[in-house]
Amino acid sequence: MMRVDLQLFAEKTERATPRHRTDARKEGRIAHSADVATAASLIAAVAALQFFGSHLYSVLWQSTTLLLSQGTSGSASLSAQLPLLMSIGGMIVPSLIPIFAVSLLIGLGVAFAQVGPLFTVKPLLPDFGRINVIAGMGRLFSARSMVELVKSAVKILLIGAASYMAVAGAAAQLVMLDQADPALIFALIAHAAGAILLYVALLYIALAIADFFFQRFEFERSLRMSKNDVRDESKRFEGNPLIKRKIRERGRAIARRRMMQLVPQADVVITNPTHYAVALKYDAKTMHAPQVVAKGVDDTARRIREVALLHDVPIVENQPLARSLYQLVQLEDYVPDQLFGAVAEVLAYVYRLRNRAL
């Protein structure tokens, strides 16, 4: 007796079917990495600084000069300093808008490229099944949670490493800051800030690439199906194979009965003599060529011959013609030109026999 390991049908070992992928996408389950979009935004910000950085630097220096010159005079209360702060904000914000706009558009474009056109509100709907405390603890200590924790730690380390590299590069100048001109100090700080942003962006790219492939791998694993899932999906959308087979058999039986009903109307049945049988009908007034009204092999051929004998339909043995008609002409189609001559000879022979009988 053969033993079947039912565990194989429960384990998710099969690749997701196209329909399963489509259903997952409708539910908002897609492979995407937020770090890729973030890295693209950072790179876009660095590139935008190359175009708008000089103007931003000028505005920041003017704002700093204004703040230092006027901010120390008069009352220190917030209400007294509010006009000055609003004036400085009015100078800085317009200069930052192009940089933030470029960064935002590039980030959104990269995010869209990963996801494609998709609109679904299902991820926003409340899932009360996630309230389960035990399941929540399982998610808390899952592999995905550990990966996200490691990613957060790596991001902090990246920012720290970028800051260290930027400051280390300007260490010699920093030692002499107490004797430097304010404009030089400001320039050095601005350069260090730009260097930090550049280093963070470059290091973030490496993290984003790794996260991209991890998210793809994790998504493919989450979509895996068990053998039972694949079988149930096939039954649900394509129908039970047993029922489909019975429907096909019933359809063939109906077609066969209809075909047999046309055999008595045939003018001749051409046989092989046992393996093939093709029944032809021809009316010179309504048809441009003889028509195949029935055909079959083996048992069906035998049944065609029996019906033909029962209704006095002539049976002519012509092995090559019977085989050619069966293979080249479909049911209810007309005899093609290349076989018309041979069929005409058979029909002429049948008509001569009928005339003699009369």
Side-chain angles (χ1 to χ4, degrees):
M1 180 177 181
M2 186 177 71
R3 298 178 59 186
V4 178
D5 188 0
L6 297 180
Q7 185 66 23
L8 293 176
F9 290 88
E11 294 179 353
K12 297 184 179 298
T13 58
E14 306 301 308
R15 288 179 59 86
T17 62
R19 187 179 296 276
H20 187 59
R21 292 179 184 276
T22 300
D23 292 341
R25 182 175 178 81
K26 291 178 180 178
E27 295 174 359
R29 295 169 55 199
I30 48 179
H32 71 285
S33 171
D35 289 331
V36 172
T38 303
S41 296
L42 288 173
I43 292 296
V46 173
L49 280 174
Q50 299 299 316
F51 291 95
F52 307 107
S54 59
H55 176 67
L56 177 63
Y57 176 83
S58 176
V59 169
L60 289 176
W61 173 243
Q62 293 176 18
S63 301
T64 303
T65 304
L66 182 63
L67 182 63
L68 293 177
S69 62
Q70 299 185 19
T72 56
S73 61
S75 175
S77 64
L78 178 61
S79 59
Q81 298 294 330
L82 186 59
L84 175 62
L85 295 176
M86 292 183 64
S87 176
I88 293 175
M91 296 170 60
I92 295 177
V93 171
S95 301
L96 291 175
I97 288 178
I99 299 174
F100 282 116
V102 171
S103 178
L104 178 62
L105 290 176
I106 294 297
L108 291 177
V110 171
F112 180 80
Q114 291 188 84
V115 177
L118 173 65
F119 177 77
T120 177
V121 297
K122 191 161 186 178
L124 304 177
L125 299 177
D127 185 2
F128 297 102
R130 300 180 70 88
I131 300 178
N132 189 306
V133 177
I134 299 178
M137 293 295 292
R139 289 191 297 270
L140 182 62
F141 296 100
S142 65
R144 175 176 285 275
S145 298
M146 294 298 103
V147 170
E148 294 299 327
L149 179 61
V150 171
K151 282 171 52 182
S152 299
V154 169
K155 292 174 185 177
I156 295 174
L157 291 175
L158 289 180
I159 296 174
S163 302
Y164 172 79
M165 288 187 292
V167 173
Q173 293 90 338
L174 290 174
V175 174
M176 304 176 61
L177 281 181
D178 58 336
Q179 302 175 6
D181 182 74
L184 179 61
I185 296 175
F186 185 83
L188 183 62
I189 293 175
H191 181 271
I196 290 174
L197 179 61
L198 176 61
Y199 292 147
V200 169
L202 293 177
L203 293 174
Y204 214 99
I205 289 176
L207 175 65
I209 293 174
D211 185 65
F212 174 80
F213 287 106
F214 171 76
Q215 295 295 340
R216 291 280 177 177
F217 169 77
E218 188 68 15
F219 177 70
E220 290 294 330
R221 190 176 67 171
S222 69
L223 285 185
R224 285 190 176 275
M225 306 169 68
S226 66
K227 295 182 182 296
N228 192 50
D229 292 336
V230 176
R231 185 185 61 189
D232 291 343
E233 181 185 275
S234 177
K235 286 182 179 181
R236 187 166 63 253
F237 294 102
E238 299 179 8
N240 191 309
L242 180 61
I243 296 177
K244 290 174 65 178
R245 186 170 66 251
K246 288 183 177 180
I247 292 175
R248 286 195 299 268
E249 291 175 353
R250 181 172 298 178
R252 284 195 294 267
I254 293 173
R256 191 161 46 247
R257 285 197 299 269
R258 180 176 176 275
M259 183 179 68
M260 291 302 176
Q261 292 173 357
L262 297 176
V263 173
Q265 304 174 22
D267 292 305
V268 64
V269 173
I270 303 175
T271 65
N272 194 23
T274 55
H275 294 298
Y276 293 90
V278 180
L280 300 176
K281 179 179 177 61
Y282 180 61
D283 185 348
K285 296 180 180 179
T286 60
M287 297 180 180
H288 68 277
Q291 183 184 33
V292 174
V293 295
K295 70 174 186 175
V297 295
D298 298 332
D299 290 342
T300 304
R302 178 183 56 79
R303 180 61 181 157
I304 290 174
R305 292 194 303 272
E306 290 175 353
V307 174
L309 288 173
L310 185 62
H311 293 84
D312 296 324
V313 176
I315 299 176
V316 176
E317 180 181 334
N318 188 325
Q319 296 184 11
L321 182 58
R323 182 185 294 272
S324 298
L325 285 170
Y326 181 83
Q327 293 176 346
L328 299 178
V329 188
Q330 299 298 320
L331 268 178
E332 299 183 358
D333 281 354
Y334 294 96
V335 173
D337 294 341
Q338 64 265 32
L339 299 178
F340 190 82
V343 171
E345 292 180 3
V346 172
L347 289 174
Y349 171 72
V350 170
Y351 295 153
R352 286 197 300 270
L353 291 179
R354 286 180 178 175
N355 291 334
R356 290 176 186 174
L358 294 176

